[in-house]
Amino acid sequence: MQLSRFRVLCTFPEGLIPQRVQDEIRTTPGVRGVTGCIVWADTLDSAFRVREVAKSAGGKVKIYEAVVDGGEYRFECQGKGTCCSEAYILVLPDEANMISEYLGVSIDDFLDEFCEIATPHDSLSTIKLKTRPNGKCIFFEDDKCRIQPVKPGECSIYPIIPHEGAIWWVHGPGSGKGRQYTFYEIKKLAGERYRKVKDYCDAYAKLLSEGRDQDSILDILFKKIEKN
């Protein structure tokens, strides 16, 4: 199956897209195919139509566009907290220290109160911000970010997401509004974020190869505890 530029993530309480919904989505003009929870669409309009079908069936939908040279990318924050509802807001060590200093708390208290260890993947554990029962980030209060001046890089470059060797643009309430981002600007922001995450992964992998366990690795990277 040839993959398309638009990727529509459809999640349902029962897991995968129900078969009856898949059947309807497959008949939507511009849909290239369905793989698990991902629908591949040729145009933004067809992605929007998929969103309507999935949402009417009780699903949650997120539209990603692969960033290409020549595309038009505009974004302006609408203050709706959409980007603050991401399930995974990664926090890197330097970011954790900046946020804890901004809040006036110790790094230990910051990690204990506001963060949690993300589900390990390929033996690599990361720290993410906690979310409230409503799915919003723990720092999203009164329709604004409590740590706006020092928010993680993951938030700063939204709706840009570097992932799996590609750069994705998330379509949300602020898409198509505000100033335009050039392809090279997006590429630069994504590249900087990718390098910072890669540096974290490389440091983690090195400690792992030395026989360190998860707790000691995170202590060394986040709490700056010296290796014995």
Side-chain angles (χ1 to χ4, degrees):
M1 178 181 68
Q2 181 180 351
L3 304 184
S4 303
R5 180 173 159 189
F6 297 89
R7 186 174 71 171
V8 188
L9 173 63
C10 304
T11 56
F12 289 79
E14 58 268 38
L16 295 176
I17 304 172
Q19 189 59 52
R20 63 179 179 78
V21 181
Q22 281 197 42
D23 293 340
E24 185 175 355
I25 286 175
R26 290 179 191 279
T27 64
T28 302
V31 168
R32 179 78 62 170
V34 181
T35 307
C37 293
I38 303 294
V39 179
W40 297 93
D42 287 335
T43 67
L44 185 57
D45 284 342
S46 57
F48 285 156
R49 287 195 287 269
V50 169
R51 180 174 65 184
E52 292 174 5
V53 172
K55 290 185 72 173
S56 66
K60 293 183 178 180
V61 182
K62 187 166 292 183
I63 298 174
Y64 300 85
E65 177 182 354
V67 175
V68 296
D69 193 2
E72 183 172 317
Y73 307 99
R74 295 181 181 278
F75 177 76
E76 184 175 67
C77 179
Q78 303 298 295
K80 296 181 180 297
T82 301
C83 62
C84 304
S85 300
E86 300 297 324
Y88 191 104
I89 301 178
L90 175 69
V91 180
L92 298 177
D94 288 347
E95 295 168 345
N97 280 280
M98 281 195 301
I99 297 172
S100 63
E101 289 179 8
Y102 180 79
L103 294 173
V105 300
S106 68
I107 185 65
D108 294 87
D109 288 343
F110 168 72
L111 294 173
D112 289 341
E113 185 175 352
F114 301 105
C115 302
E116 59 188 0
I117 297 175
T119 303
H121 177 67
D122 293 337
S123 299
L124 188 155
S125 298
T126 57
I127 298 294
K128 64 182 286 290
L129 295 183
K130 289 180 180 178
T131 54
R132 301 182 186 279
N134 63 1
K136 299 290 186 183
C137 171
I138 193 169
F139 287 116
F140 188 73
E141 299 176 353
D142 300 323
D143 294 331
K144 61 183 179 181
C145 175
R146 181 181 166 190
I147 56 169
Q148 177 70 20
V150 292
K151 63 186 179 182
E154 205 86 352
C155 307
S156 297
I157 68 170
Y158 186 90
I160 302 166
I161 299 181
H163 183 62
E164 296 179 347
I167 303 173
W168 297 92
W169 180 272
V170 183
H171 284 274
S175 298
K177 303 172 183 178
R179 78 175 184 88
Q180 182 169 345
Y181 288 73
T182 67
F183 171 72
Y184 297 101
E185 183 180 8
I186 293 173
K187 190 174 179 180
K188 179 182 178 182
L189 290 170
E192 290 172 350
R193 183 61 181 170
Y194 172 80
R195 284 189 289 274
K196 289 179 181 179
V197 174
K198 185 178 184 300
D199 287 343
Y200 170 83
C201 293
D202 290 346
Y204 189 105
K206 184 175 185 298
L207 292 169
L208 191 65
S209 69
E210 296 173 0
R212 304 277 176 172
D213 60 20
Q214 170 189 283
D215 290 340
S216 65
I217 290 175
L218 294 179
D219 281 346
I220 291 170
L221 295 178
F222 282 86
K223 300 180 184 181
K224 311 300 182 183
I225 294 176
E226 296 295 328
K227 294 187 290 183
N228 295 323

